[in-house]
Amino acid sequence: MSLQMLPDGQETPDVQVSWEDQTRINTFSKLNSRLSNLEDEQKILADEKEYLEDVSTEIELIDEDELVQYKVGDTFYWIKQSEVVERLEKDSEKTEESLILLDDKVQSIKDEMEELKTALYARFGNAINLER
Amino acid sequence: MSSTEIKPGELGYVNPRGIPQAPFVEVVEDYVRSRDQVESVLQSFQEMLSKYKYMEMSTLRRAGGLREKIPDIQKTLDTVLFLDSKRNSEEPTMTTTFELNDTLYAKASVTAADSVYLWLGANVMLEYPIVEATDLLTSKLKSAQESLKLCEEDLEFLRENITTVEVNTARVYNWDVQKRREEKETAAQLK
């Protein structure tokens, strides 16, 4: 993902890299690492969402007045099923919100990277490799 | 902002945490006049690179510490908020299963009271009214997230500079290779 060093004897592509080009390359690489961080976060949240969905279905099988263990921090609290259902709904909402926010961020980074990619390939052709 | 301030991307820029921007080699001949200088220029780039890498390492470590701290604060805040929601409810007393040690849980009856004890570190624990505890934890959480953001910003800036220096190195190296080939060709023609 950067300009490669040429081994002795290989044809030197005659490309002059300007500061502007360099900035583009740097920005691309910056966005690339930012993207992979966000994608990790996205995965964690998506998993969380799935767990919450699963548990929300499962909990329907339990009687409303029965006590269930609900985890806050590192401790489980015995509280009524009906209350747990409420709290789970709030948790789901929160996760959903953060996920939407994250998706937006990921999309805008991807768009910006696509633009840079077009510009850089137009400028350097095969002398540069921007694929992950 | 004053007009004399150096913006990012300009020569001599220093980021808000004092990390200098690496110089960029636009025209190799500006940096190396003859092939004798190639080695010393490459060496200076190498030095720059190791400095940036060192800063990257220590910033990574700091970010790692913060990444561990943030969920801890979040968990404590969640608990305090939970107790807060319980203390005025019909059933402020609950049975809890709490972690006594790794994989060992015990049962306890907890009544959500108006105050909580926060572990401040260095063997100190302090009693706080729930509202104050919430404020304290919220502000701690915010400042930790803020520091992490700055760390990440620095890391991006450092990585950019590392790329710049690496490209510089590649460029000077390639220039040297080409010059050497040209010299060989001239020598061959002279024979």
Side-chain angles (χ1 to χ4, degrees):
Chain A
M1 227 257 359
S2 61
L3 291 177
Q4 280 157 9
M5 283 202 205
L6 290 165
D8 275 54
Q10 198 180 309
E11 202 55 50
T12 320
D14 196 20
V15 229
Q16 189 62 48
V17 183
S18 69
W19 175 234
E20 199 195 348
D21 300 326
Q22 186 60 48
T23 313
R24 279 208 189 111
I25 296 170
N26 287 353
T27 312
F28 187 87
S29 126
K30 181 172 80 182
L31 291 175
N32 197 37
S33 73
R34 207 182 279 175
L35 183 66
S36 67
N37 281 342
L38 286 179
E39 278 174 344
D40 288 347
E41 266 180 60
Q42 220 175 6
K43 203 180 157 351
I44 295 169
L45 272 181
D47 283 348
E48 179 78 19
K49 193 186 150 195
E50 208 174 299
Y51 293 147
L52 283 169
E53 274 168 10
D54 284 352
V55 92
S56 300
T57 340
E58 291 287 325
I59 207 165
E60 294 301 331
L61 302 171
I62 300 169
D63 194 66
E64 260 187 40
D65 289 325
E66 220 170 303
L67 293 176
V68 278
Q69 299 200 51
Y70 176 74
K71 194 179 185 188
V72 182
D74 286 325
T75 309
F76 295 94
Y77 296 83
W78 292 81
I79 44 181
K80 269 195 198 152
Q81 187 265 6
S82 53
E83 198 190 326
V84 175
V85 171
E86 261 173 51
R87 287 185 184 271
L88 283 176
E89 268 169 25
K90 263 186 217 149
D91 293 345
S92 297
E93 263 171 46
K94 251 202 215 153
T95 319
E96 184 70 27
E97 262 171 43
S98 334
L99 205 53
I100 289 171
L101 220 70
L102 210 55
D103 286 346
D104 279 357
K105 268 194 212 161
V106 166
Q107 196 49 51
S108 76
I109 287 180
K110 277 187 178 161
D111 290 347
E112 210 180 318
M113 279 173 81
E114 211 46 54
E115 256 172 56
L116 284 167
K117 224 188 221 178
T118 323
L120 283 168
Y121 273 133
R123 177 92 177 77
F124 294 110
N126 288 331
I128 196 164
N129 178 23
L130 302 169
E131 305 309 321
R132 307 179 95 185
Chain B
M1 253 189 250
S2 65
S3 56
T4 50
E5 200 164 327
I6 306 167
K7 285 186 220 49
E10 286 173 23
L11 194 70
Y13 172 74
V14 176
N15 99 333
R17 260 78 56 203
I19 305 170
Q21 178 165 292
F24 174 69
V25 177
E26 183 135 18
V27 184
V28 178
E29 277 83 358
D30 289 351
Y31 269 77
V32 267
R33 257 168 222 103
S34 71
R35 278 197 40 219
D36 315 337
Q37 291 176 321
V38 168
E39 204 174 315
S40 68
V41 167
L42 284 179
Q43 204 183 338
S44 77
F45 285 155
Q46 206 53 50
E47 238 167 68
M48 244 183 251
L49 202 60
S50 62
K51 277 182 196 160
Y52 281 125
K53 288 251 163 88
Y54 177 77
M55 281 192 263
E56 190 187 27
M57 282 260 288
S58 71
T59 315
L60 267 176
R61 215 169 348 195
R62 222 155 61 81
L66 285 167
R67 272 199 199 97
E68 258 172 48
K69 218 171 99 186
I70 288 171
D72 271 352
I73 304 175
Q74 183 69 58
K75 272 185 195 167
T76 316
L77 181 60
D78 285 348
T79 306
V80 173
L81 286 172
F82 176 76
L83 291 174
D84 188 31
S85 75
K86 277 288 176 188
R87 70 185 160 134
N88 293 320
S89 70
E90 299 150 32
E91 302 159 84
T93 304
M94 293 154 287
T95 308
T96 64
T97 308
F98 69 96
E99 194 172 21
L100 199 58
N101 204 330
D102 284 346
T103 72
L104 176 61
Y105 285 80
K107 251 186 193 180
S109 172
V110 172
T111 305
D114 290 335
S115 63
V116 286
Y117 294 82
L118 294 185
W119 180 256
L120 298 182
N123 287 326
V124 178
M125 199 184 239
L126 212 57
E127 182 178 8
Y128 284 92
I130 288 227
V131 180
E132 269 180 48
T134 314
D135 289 349
L136 179 74
L137 288 167
T138 312
S139 81
K140 282 258 174 282
L141 184 63
K142 226 179 112 190
S143 76
Q145 282 165 337
E146 207 63 36
S147 316
L148 182 60
K149 220 181 105 196
L150 294 183
C151 270
E152 277 167 355
E153 235 177 74
D154 282 354
L155 281 174
E156 285 181 350
F157 185 67
L158 285 167
R159 209 154 297 145
E160 270 185 20
N161 283 305
I162 288 172
T163 320
T164 307
V165 178
E166 277 171 354
V167 171
N168 285 349
T169 309
R171 173 130 355 113
V172 172
Y173 179 83
N174 287 347
W175 180 86
D176 187 39
V177 171
Q178 209 177 0
K179 275 276 172 272
R180 208 178 319 158
R181 199 186 306 151
E182 279 172 20
E183 271 171 33
K184 239 188 246 162
E185 276 165 18
T186 346
Q189 278 170 4
L190 284 175
K191 260 181 209 164

